[in-house]
């Protein structure tokens, strides 16, 4: 289980590096990369923080994902978790950030 950075989408804002609790993300040549993907424990903080959907989390088979990818679309009031499946379909879970403590 890990994240993957689609470097062609990255704009080098550095927000992912600021929130990674393991200090695993760095900017190189103006784009983010992970030092060693084996150290990532999948907290998804960087996925949530990225404004460009440039980072996704692998949904492995043991999570029922079977190759799916989990992205986050953040807006002022909501966080939309988007699961993109290998067949091209998508599912999503919308979280109201102002009521997050009620979930
Ligand atoms: S998922 Fe968490 S631990 Fe892994 S790179 Fe992103 S912020 Fe760091
Ligand atoms: S948050 Fe996204 S756009 Fe910003 S540096 Fe990280 S991967 Fe690139």
């Amino acid at each position: 289980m890990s994240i993957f950075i689609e470097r062609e989408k990255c704009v080098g804002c550095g927000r992912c590096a600021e929130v990674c609790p393991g200090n695993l993300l760095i900017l190189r040549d103006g784009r983010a990369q992970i030092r060693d993907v084996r150290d990532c424990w999948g907290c998804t903080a960087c996925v949530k923080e990225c404004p460009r959907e440039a980072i996704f989390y692998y949904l492995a088979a043991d999570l029922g994902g079977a190759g799916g990818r989990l992205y986050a679309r953040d807006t002022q009031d909501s966080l939309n978790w988007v699961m993109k499946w290998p067949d091209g379909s998508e599912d999503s879970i919308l979280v109201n950030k102002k009521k997050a403590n009620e979930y």
Side-chain angles (χ1 to χ4, degrees):
M1 291 187 289
S2 180
I3 56 110
F4 183 86
I5 301 170
E6 297 176 287
R7 294 192 82 212
E8 68 280 4
K9 293 183 181 176
C10 175
V11 293
C13 68
R15 287 168 55 171
C16 56
E18 289 173 12
V19 299
C20 177
N23 196 25
L24 303 178
L25 299 167
I26 57 173
L27 290 180
R28 181 163 291 164
D29 299 327
R31 295 184 184 192
Q33 72 177 56
I34 190 165
R35 296 178 200 272
D36 188 336
V37 76
R38 293 171 298 184
D39 291 334
C40 171
W41 60 90
C43 71
T44 70
C46 58
V47 176
K48 284 189 281 189
E49 194 66 21
C50 179
R52 300 299 297 256
E53 296 181 37
I55 308 176
F56 67 79
Y57 178 72
Y58 280 115
L59 292 169
D62 58 344
L63 294 174
R69 299 175 173 191
L70 179 67
Y71 293 82
R73 289 179 191 146
D74 201 4
T75 68
Q76 188 172 0
D77 297 326
S78 66
L79 178 64
N80 193 12
W81 289 105
V82 180
M83 291 144 281
K84 297 185 180 181
W85 304 111
D87 66 2
S89 63
E90 290 186 7
D91 289 308
S92 65
I93 300 171
L94 191 64
V95 177
N96 183 332
K97 291 195 291 190
K98 293 181 178 173
K99 295 184 178 181
N101 289 338
E102 296 177 14
Y103 292 103

